[in-house]
Amino acid sequence: MTLTLSVVGCGYLGATHAACMSSLGFTVIGVDTDPNKVAMLQRGELPFYEPGLDTLLADQMKTGRLSFTTDFSAVKDADIHFVCVGTPQSKDGLAADLTYVRSAVAEIAPYLKDGSLVVGKSTVPVGTAQSLRDQLAKTAPQADLAWNPEFLREGFAVEDTLTPNRLVVGVANDRAEEILKQVYEPIIALGTPWIRADLPTAELVKVAANSFLATKISFINAMAEVCEAAGGDVTVLAKAIGYDPRIGNKFLQAGIGFGGGCLPKDIRAFMARAEELGAKQALEFLREIDAINLRARHRVIDVVRSELSEDLTKYKIAVLGATFKPDSDDVRDSPALDIAAQLQAAGAAVVVHDPKGIEPARKRFPKLEYTEVVNDAVKGVDLILHLTEWKEYRAIDPSVISGLVKNKIIIDGRNMLDRDLWRNAGWKFHALGRSD
Ligand code: UDX
């Protein structure tokens, strides 16, 4: 039997999942409440930047298997419904806002056919899946619900969806697992580990993984603070500890810390949920992880002040990078943009450059100055901040831009630039966690 899938919520996760599932040969109906997003997707255009997904989407639209609509009743033909809506941090606290997940399930409930399976992919507080399953038992008893967390990284979304390092399914019975095995059969055939869990464990796997990644980053940023105090070099330290396979060399890049739509809000929501469950103490360390992360942003501003002056009102600063990471146009909780805005609030004139994120950044901080040309950004500045590790910034020739700036001072907030290259060109070069 050829399965028809629906994907509810066509943001980052949903649009990627819909296009990837279509590429596996399924008929896929994407539903979203935002008519502009749907219109773009239906034209085969991606509403955000993600390498490789633009061409995949355009190709899949041509097959006729993939379509997008704002009409929830379109899901009536689908056998499996993937819920991919956002779970942002709530406005009044640390917890996740579940409005969209709950309303997505409520919206599709009237159209669920006999034996269909609703599969949650959104990152949710543990216990949500069971409560949604209970809700469905009342409103659509003919359908079942499973949870299948997604681990995709921005910049690698297609790769992480089609060749993930594991598939995790939270199910309440064998039938739900069998259905999900049918969907993922081509991916399982690649040898991808398959992990069957109960609903709460599947939900927890996602937040545990993101908490671990956040902890690794904050750990190395804590070491950076100690290195600065003790006269050490965190990049050498990270390299040295990374050779121990129990530690590993990934996610030990010290700098201005993590941002984006996932890690910051996921660790906060996890803490809030643990407290509700009476397990607050178990996750107290995440509060420190969050604090170390936010402190990294202040530390870079401290270096700026020590280089220029406590009073920044007379200074012009170029910020290279606005997105939370390279190969993305996502500026959600971006440390780079946060630092740019804080410097401006402190009175500095700030010019921001980014290869892909200027428009989203402008929406968030309309008063910052933006430019699409690096040479324009650095013209006449007293200091350059390198805050997102785009490849093009590593290709900048310091001797070429020397004649453009007022002062040859650069701070590498990502520990990615070639320090010797800059120093040999006569620049004062600082990096977080490197006292030299
Ligand atoms: C993350 C998880 O990696 C992914 O598995 C999950 O599904 C969603 O959340 P993503 O938000 O795309 O993915 O970003 P990630 O690559 O994890 O980077 C997060 C942030 O940490 C970025 O701001 C990045 O610059 C920063 N980072 C990462 C560091 O500061 N140092 C590192 O060593 C690694």
Side-chain angles (χ1 to χ4, degrees), residues 360-411:
R362 203 195 300 277
K363 274 193 201 125
R364 177 105 184 67
F365 290 106
K367 289 194 184 132
L368 281 167
E369 191 183 331
Y370 298 93
T371 171
E372 284 171 11
V373 182
V374 173
N375 284 1
D376 290 346
V378 302
K379 211 167 277 170
V381 297
D382 296 281
L383 184 144
I384 299 177
L385 276 171
H386 170 246
L387 298 185
T388 310
E389 61 275 41
W390 286 95
K391 209 169 58 230
E392 35 270 76
Y393 298 149
R394 295 198 283 287
I396 293 174
D397 183 341
S399 56
V400 170
I401 61 165
S402 288
L404 299 174
V405 297
K406 189 167 162 204
N407 284 327
K408 292 200 278 181
I409 309 173
I410 183 155
I411 303 171

